[in-house]
């Protein structure tokens, strides 16, 4: 059974830093595409970042240059380092496994989120 | 990357069918068949109900179906049941190799 458990959320001041963790069981983090998705209170889902099994990373424009996604293969853990936090970063942050489409489009292959954690809440206060 | 556009709310009576639209651009839905749909009940994590436009994961009811035409994807729920009342989000892979969610649709079972 796949389980993803996020931790590291909390109350932080504007401009501060926080590192989120996502401990995985039932899957090998380094062999999978893994992603972070966030949801502001009462709002919709927002894609944040993804790390491919190759180590290639991508970010939403809203967090590029401030957030860094990484992983620790020895601990099967995914991380999200968040710097220069803003009030608008306040959200529930979900960790998700990105399953790969069986269909190719040229050299590209899409993904979808088939396993999710329960989320960790980040509150950025001024 | 702007969010994909979904109607804020859709409603239907038990047993009816409803369709939720998801409109993107040629940078996402219009280029790839990599659209997925998620169901989210209050206080819960999202759940995958459709991937790759119309593929249904194991364990998901066959009352859920998906389609796509041009820049617009659609999720249809047939034989609407009380348990289908939830928020639904579409998601698409983009030409920048990033991802984008829809604005979300609240489904109400009357």
């Amino acid at each position: 059974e796949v389980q993803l458990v996020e931790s590291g959320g909390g109350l932080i001041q504007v401009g501060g830093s926080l590192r989120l963790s996502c401990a995985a069981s039932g899957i090998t983090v380094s062999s999978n595409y893994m992603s972070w998705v966030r949801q502001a209170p009462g709002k919709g889902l927002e894609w944040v970042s993804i790390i491919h099994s190759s180590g290639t990373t991508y970010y939403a424009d809203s967090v590029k240059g401030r957030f860094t996604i990484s992983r620790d293969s020895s601990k099967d853990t995914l991380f999200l380092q968040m710097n220069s936090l803003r009030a608008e970063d306040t959200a529930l942050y979900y960790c998700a496994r990105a399953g790969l489409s069986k269909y190719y489009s040229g050299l590209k292959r899409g993904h979808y989120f088939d396993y999710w954690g329960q989320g960790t809440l980040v509150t950025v206060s001024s | 990357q702007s969010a994909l556009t979904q109607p804020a709310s859709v409603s239907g009576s038990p047993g009816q069918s409803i369709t939720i639209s998801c409109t993107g651009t040629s940078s996402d839905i219009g280029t790839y068949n990599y659209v997925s749909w998620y169901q989210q009940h209050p206080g819960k994590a999202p759940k995958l109900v459709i991937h790759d436009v119309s593929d249904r994961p194991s364990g998901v009811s066959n009352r859920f179906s998906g389609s796509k035409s041009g820049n617009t994807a659609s999720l249809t729920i047939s034989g609407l049941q009380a348990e289908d009342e939830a928020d639904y989000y579409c998601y698409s892979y983009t030409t920048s190799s990033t991802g984008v969610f829809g604005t979300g649709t609240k489904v109400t079972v009357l």
Side-chain angles (χ1 to χ4, degrees):
Chain A
E1 181 192 8
V2 176
Q3 280 198 321
L4 301 172
V5 179
E6 303 92 336
S7 61
L11 178 63
I12 188 78
Q13 288 195 323
V14 169
S17 298
L18 210 55
R19 188 176 85 154
L20 305 184
S21 300
C22 171
S25 58
I27 60 169
T28 301
V29 166
S30 60
S31 301
N32 282 274
Y33 284 33
M34 301 293 296
S35 200
W36 289 96
V37 175
R38 69 184 181 184
Q39 186 169 35
K43 303 296 184 183
L45 300 174
E46 180 185 13
W47 178 81
V48 173
S49 181
I50 192 167
I51 183 167
H52 294 184
S53 51
S54 65
T56 301
T57 59
Y58 294 95
Y59 300 91
D61 288 343
S62 58
V63 307
K64 197 177 299 181
R66 301 187 299 122
F67 289 11
T68 303
I69 190 171
S70 63
R71 65 195 179 198
D72 183 333
S73 304
S74 66
K75 297 180 180 178
D76 262 331
T77 300
L78 179 73
F79 301 105
L80 185 68
Q81 177 67 43
M82 305 186 296
N83 298 331
S84 303
L85 282 162
R86 305 168 180 167
E88 54 264 37
D89 295 320
T90 293
L92 185 64
Y93 283 75
Y94 292 104
C95 161
R97 198 281 290 261
L100 293 179
S101 172
K102 59 185 177 184
Y103 310 106
Y104 283 86
S105 180
L107 296 178
K108 293 201 171 184
R109 199 173 174 192
H111 59 265
Y112 48 87
F113 306 115
D114 50 3
Y115 296 102
W116 296 71
Q118 287 305 303
T120 186
L121 183 63
V122 173
T123 303
V124 184
S125 171
S126 53
Chain B
Q1 183 76 44
S2 299
L4 308 174
T5 301
Q6 298 180 231
S9 62
V10 172
S11 62
S13 300
Q16 286 187 328
S17 292
I18 62 169
T19 297
I20 303 168
S21 61
C22 171
T23 301
T25 68
S26 57
S27 296
D28 37 69
I29 295 177
T31 294
Y32 300 117
N33 289 324
Y34 298 141
V35 177
S36 50
W37 289 90
Y38 303 86
Q39 176 193 63
Q40 186 179 36
H41 287 109
K44 300 294 187 180
K47 173 189 173 184
L48 176 70
V49 294
I50 291 287
H51 64 88
D52 297 324
V53 173
S54 58
D55 289 353
R56 202 170 41 249
S58 173
V60 172
S61 172
N62 58 10
R63 298 184 299 102
F64 291 88
S65 61
S67 62
K68 190 194 93 166
S69 178
N71 293 340
T72 299
S74 299
L75 174 71
T76 297
I77 308 175
S78 58
L80 200 62
Q81 299 180 2
E83 67 206 48
D84 299 330
E85 187 161 293
D87 293 326
Y88 290 82
Y89 296 90
C90 57
Y91 175 86
S92 178
Y93 182 66
T94 79
T95 54
S96 301
S97 300
T98 58
V100 60
F101 278 99
T103 50
T105 298
K106 181 177 180 59
V107 168
T108 301
V109 180
L110 301 172

